[in-house]
Amino acid sequence: MINPAIDLQGGQSIRLKQGDFDQATLIENTPLAQVERFQAVGIDRLHLVDLDGARLGHPANQAVVKAIRDSFTGMIELGGGIRTAQAVADYLKLGIDRVILGSVAVKDPQLTRRVLNDWGSARIVIGVDGKDGMVATEGWLSQSTVPMVTLIGRLVEAGAVNFIVTDVAQDGMMAGPNLNLLGDLQAQFPTTNIIASGGIRNLADIDALKRVGVKEAVVGRAMFEGTLTLEEIKEANANAD
């Protein structure tokens, strides 16, 4: 399955390179128009990131998120600045299907376990962003001392199943996903759903991910570079296992 990404900053849709807020490209002044184009083609999955929330540590684009949820009939997963049980509850009650926990999964494992217990593993996704195998936090502005594999192992024990794994070095670079990292993690944790994010260019990359056991992916820049079309995404999702 392919989840098209929209990254929100200041109420607009942008794309970053390697998580660098100084390397932002404006995609759409009105993200809702972008969502409507997705839906018109038949896309029924959406990956949203509140970049302002990730940097500030609390939700910051709620109005845009609500407008998108009101308009889009498909599955929406959302991350960025969701670091309290209340924020999780607010978004899930708003109708967001899957909430992504990133920095808080590293910094507050007790909260993460409680949220998993309260809402279930189908609705809570763990965002594991990193570089050189180590977890990055605070919207990728800080590097932790926690290995990605260690974090995933802890949270598998806590009941987590879905993990969006982003190699920051690949993100937005259109150089292909880190197949070794993603395939190794999927093999090491076979009961999980490792969701690939970062560097995915085209359907060939999607096929390469499938060959290493990764069945779900997030794509962003490739859509706007034209190397992966909305029609291709729709068809790939229709043919997914």
Side-chain angles (χ1 to χ4, degrees), residues 105-155:
V106 179
K107 297 188 169 185
D108 196 340
Q110 288 186 333
L111 173 65
T112 305
R113 288 173 183 267
R114 178 158 63 91
V115 168
L116 279 164
N117 184 66
D118 288 347
W119 295 99
S121 60
R123 304 201 71 188
I124 304 298
V125 181
I126 309 300
V128 183
D129 306 332
K131 187 175 181 181
D132 299 324
M134 306 300 286
V135 175
T137 62
E138 314 301 333
W140 302 351
L141 298 175
S142 300
Q143 189 79 3
S144 78
T145 58
V146 179
M148 298 170 82
V149 67
T150 299
L151 177 62
I152 293 174
R154 289 175 185 166
L155 291 169

Side-chain angles (χ1 to χ4, degrees), residues 66-205:
K66 184 179 186 306
I68 291 172
R69 176 68 284 178
D70 289 345
S71 172
F72 189 72
T73 59
M75 188 280 290
I76 298 178
E77 62 185 15
L78 169 70
I82 304 173
R83 300 181 191 174
T84 66
Q86 188 63 55
V88 171
D90 287 346
Y91 276 132
L92 291 176
K93 291 174 181 177
L94 182 67
I96 299 302
D97 298 282
R98 303 199 309 200
V99 165
I100 304 164
L101 302 183
S103 299
V104 72
V106 179
K107 297 188 169 185
D108 196 340
Q110 288 186 333
L111 173 65
T112 305
R113 288 173 183 267
R114 178 158 63 91
V115 168
L116 279 164
N117 184 66
D118 288 347
W119 295 99
S121 60
R123 304 201 71 188
I124 304 298
V125 181
I126 309 300
V128 183
D129 306 332
K131 187 175 181 181
D132 299 324
M134 306 300 286
V135 175
T137 62
E138 314 301 333
W140 302 351
L141 298 175
S142 300
Q143 189 79 3
S144 78
T145 58
V146 179
M148 298 170 82
V149 67
T150 299
L151 177 62
I152 293 174
R154 289 175 185 166
L155 291 169
V156 167
E157 291 179 359
V161 172
N162 295 297
F163 294 86
I164 294 179
V165 177
T166 306
D167 183 338
V168 177
Q170 304 296 110
D171 188 70
M173 299 306 292
M174 296 291 289
N178 188 334
L179 293 172
N180 290 333
L181 170 69
L182 295 160
D184 287 349
L185 289 173
Q186 186 64 78
Q188 188 164 351
F189 302 103
T191 63
T192 68
N193 177 33
I194 298 295
I195 303 166
S197 174
I200 298 165
R201 300 162 292 188
N202 48 38
L203 288 178
D205 284 340

Side-chain angles (χ1 to χ4, degrees), residues 12-24:
Q12 299 177 317
S13 170
I14 70 159
R15 296 300 301 166
L16 303 179
K17 285 187 177 181
Q18 297 181 314
D20 186 348
F21 284 84
D22 292 327
Q23 296 191 67

